[in-house]
Amino acid sequence: MNLSTWHYIGIVILLFDIAWIIFYYYYATVKIYNFKEKESYLYLGYLWIRKKRGNYYLKIPEQMIADSVTTKYKIISQSAFHILKKGEKIHINFADKYDTEVSISAQITVKNYIATSHRL
């Protein structure tokens, strides 16, 4: 093989790597919002849904809970994950203090029944 063939093979591999990275970091991402008042929400950040012991798992970290105003959260899917996994269960953990399990959908509303924020 000549040098230009290796050049094209390298470009193709690079494009596949970039596509895989974009897919990996975009797949199963969710935005986390906290209810403030009068149907307005405070954006807390985004997280990735993981698979743990055969189940889908989302852990909301202590910092997000500390920044919360209320115990009501809205989780919005940012990818096609909710379409591909519709009806399956997801385990949501609030900083190892409270757990709940809900069905996967484009928009999930959950409550942290144990107030862990210093503001609550």
Side-chain angles (χ1 to χ4, degrees):
M1 284 194 222
N2 59 20
L3 188 58
S4 65
T5 304
W6 286 109
H7 181 80
Y8 290 121
I9 291 172
I11 290 172
V12 169
I13 291 172
L14 178 65
L15 291 175
F16 278 125
D17 284 344
I18 291 170
W20 173 250
I21 290 169
I22 291 170
F23 172 77
Y24 180 78
Y25 284 106
Y26 183 69
Y27 183 71
T29 57
V30 292
K31 285 187 177 180
I32 310 294
Y33 294 91
N34 183 244
F35 181 73
K36 287 195 316 191
E37 57 188 39
K38 298 179 184 174
E39 296 303 318
S40 66
Y41 286 85
L42 171 68
Y43 174 73
L44 296 175
Y46 67 93
L47 298 171
W48 286 280
I49 296 173
R50 305 285 185 208
K51 193 161 188 174
K52 187 176 185 181
R53 288 185 234 129
N55 299 318
Y56 295 105
Y57 183 81
L58 179 68
K59 182 177 181 182
I60 299 176
E62 183 70 39
Q63 183 59 43
M64 281 188 181
I65 295 172
D67 294 341
S68 299
V69 179
T70 64
T71 58
K72 183 178 177 182
Y73 295 86
K74 182 166 47 170
I75 301 168
I76 299 176
S77 177
Q78 292 301 113
S79 65
F81 180 80
H82 68 279
I83 296 169
L84 299 172
K85 306 298 180 182
K86 189 173 187 173
E88 293 187 39
K89 297 289 185 181
I90 183 169
H91 180 81
I92 300 173
N93 179 284
F94 292 92
D96 296 326
K97 295 184 175 132
Y98 178 73
D99 297 318
T100 188
E101 189 173 84
V102 295
S103 294
I104 295 173
S105 65
Q107 182 173 313
I108 301 170
T109 303
V110 292
K111 283 194 172 189
N112 176 7
Y113 289 101
I114 299 173
T116 54
S117 174
H118 63 280
R119 291 199 237 172
L120 302 175

